[in-house]
Each structure stands twice: as structure tokens, then as C-alpha cells.
Amino acid sequence: MAHSYTPGLRVTERARVVKTRRLPLKGQVVVKKGDKVTAETVVARTELPGNVQPVKAASIMGVHQQDLLEYMLKKEGDPVQKDEVIAASKSFFGLFKSQVKSPCTGTVESISPVTGQVILREPPIPVEVHAYIDGVVTEVIESEGVVVEASGAFIQGIFGIGGETTGELVMAVDDPATELTDDLLKPEHRGKVVVGGSRVTKQTIARAKELGVRAVVVGGLDDQDLKSILGYDLGVAITGHENLGTTVVVTEGFGRMTMAGRTFNLLRKLVGKKVSVNGATQIRAGVMRPEIVIPLVAAAGEDAPEGENLGLQIGSPIRVIRMPHFGWLGEVVELPPELRALETEAMVRTLKVKFQDGSEAVLPRANVEAIET
């Protein structure tokens, strides 16, 4: 049977989920292989070097830089407190005195008689890496991190903003075509991951942040609202580092987009479960999608039915990712092997898709995205 390889989003009730959790620089791994962990478990920690604060000590005291060491009250490696005097000079028989105070708490890293500067280093910044999902540590990467595995539901979205978070899954709407408005968010949604329907607005996201909602999962988001939320045009970038207070995962696209029935029904089936959410998205080389992970079984090495990715085949569910049918869902009914000419006269491989409303269309294969199950 003819088939075609194409990028796709995964929406499945059971998959083997593998996450590598790595420090930004070498440190200490605090769990071992075989340990059961929760999403909140610290698996590794390290310390980033503190910020550097240069002080023009010689200039402040009005002395020659070569003589700086004579006036220092601290030496390299000494700890200092904010506003502590680290150097002092006297002139005119001691009648006038100049002092250099530390602008921060930290240590004296270097004293230079060449530049006349004292370099202070602020305290190190502690960094902890959490497991992100409930699961089992299946591999330890020495001094760097671990690999955590679990079996559970896995749903990828089209776009997201905000970083990693966890919470109990709740439904705010009963229909995937219903817009998630701010009045649907309640105080009891604090600390929860809320599933909406067709769209979320800037006002609703602001309300979610106010209530302490961990994440919002919806079908669509207006691009103007996105720009207003971020304060800038996103362009071709990597998201996930925004400090929004609430992570947002969009499953279908921009605008008012009814959430796919497969996705909505799976989320509704898993209401009350603890979920892990990450809005990080990369829309250039090395594509990264936002995701919702619902670990159901945390067992090392347990086989989960993933299936072989044979690409598009007859009957494969797809989503159109370009106009004029952008966001439409359907299934492949034909995969002709020969190249066909487009209106632009370009020769491309095509497919015939049957949409959910019963209509059909012939589209370039590059215009669709597989929905992996």
C-alpha cells in the first residue's frame, strides 16, 4: 500500500514517554537508576556562577592603579558584604579619607594593579532540575542529569507559550466548540490544568493568571492577543521561557478553532488525573511541540504500544496546515503515486482527503500534518 512520510502531532491514550532531564552545566545527580520519581522530584542540582560586579577602586580613591594593592582592605578570595569597605586611602596628613564600598554581597575575585579595578563575584545561583513527569529513572547521566520514563497518555499541540508545570486536569467546557471565557474560570481552578474549547483570549489568560491556574489547553488563540500578551511579535523563535504565570497550549491553530474531537474526548476521559504540561515550541529546524503528558503507569522498561511510524496511509487522520483549508481535520482516502501539477505549475505529490463534513479535496502532501495515534 502506498504511504508517505510527513510530520505529525501525536494524540494517544497510551505511549511510552521518555524525558531527558539535564543540567545546564555539570553538577550533582541526586537520584539513582530505578528510583520512582514524581514530577516535582529534584533529580539534579548545580550552581551557576554569580554575576560579576567591577569596581573602579583606584579611580574612586584617586590613586594610581599600580598602588591599588596598598590601599586594599580585602584580598582575593575574601568574602564581602554589601556596603562593606573594601579599600580606603588617606591624603593631606589623614585629613581626607576616601573609601570604596562593595556594591554587593559576594567574594573578591580579582584585584588588578593594571586597570585599577576590583572584580567582585555575587553568590552562586542554585539551579535544580525536576523530573517533570511521574515515572522511573532508567538512566543516570553522570554529573549532568537523568532519563525518566513513564507510560501514559500523550498529546501534542500546535503552539504554546510558557514553561513546564503540573496540575490536576479539569474541564471548563462541555463542547470543543465553546470559547473559554473568563467567567468560566473559577477560584477552585487554582493550581489546575484547565481544558477549554475553541479559543482563549488575552482577558481569559489574565484571569487564569490572577486565579493561579497552572495551564490552559484550548483549540485556538488570536495572533493579536498573542502579540499583546507577549508585548512583541514572536516571529520564528523558541517559546517556553516566558514568565506568564500560566502556560498556554493551543491544539489546533490561530483564531477560533474547534478542538479536535479526538483530543477533547481523550482529555475529558482523563479528568482528575495529574498531568504535566510544557508550552515550549520551536517552529524552525528541530521542531519542538507543546505537550500534555498524563502518566498512568510508572514502570521502568514497561512496553507501551507505540507502533511503527509508516507515515501517511489510506485512512490516516490528518490536519491541514495551509490555506485555504487550514485547521480542517479529515482522513486520507487516496495516495496517488504520480506527481501532479499545481496552479503554480510545480509538480508535487498529492493526496485526496475526506473532511469531517463529508467534502473532499486534493491537496499537496506538504500541506497536511499527520495526527499520530
Side-chain angles (χ1 to χ4, degrees), residues 183-245:
D183 61 295
L184 293 176
L185 295 178
K186 309 296 182 182
E188 54 265 30
H189 289 150
R190 176 177 296 276
K192 305 294 178 63
V193 174
V194 178
V195 178
S198 62
R199 186 177 66 160
V200 68
T201 63
K202 173 187 174 183
Q203 292 76 16
T204 304
I205 293 174
R207 175 64 173 165
K209 182 178 179 180
E210 177 187 336
L211 291 175
V213 173
R214 295 285 179 84
V216 171
V217 182
V218 291
L221 171 67
D222 288 344
D223 59 346
Q224 287 301 315
D225 278 342
L226 174 63
K227 180 179 178 180
S228 180
I229 292 165
L230 298 178
Y232 55 86
D233 279 320
L234 185 62
V236 181
I238 301 174
T239 72
H241 303 289
E242 302 82 12
N243 185 22
L244 300 179

Side-chain angles (χ1 to χ4, degrees), residues 6 49 120 124 137 149 159 161 181 194-195 198 202 205 222 241 260 271 291 299 302 316 318 325-326 345 371:
T6 191
L120 303 176
V137 177
E149 294 189 18
F159 177 79
I161 48 177
T181 53
V194 178
V195 178
S198 62
K202 173 187 174 183
I205 293 174
D222 288 344
H241 303 289
V271 163
E291 63 185 23
E302 178 174 325
S316 294
I318 59 96
H325 302 288
F326 178 76
E345 299 184 359
I371 301 177

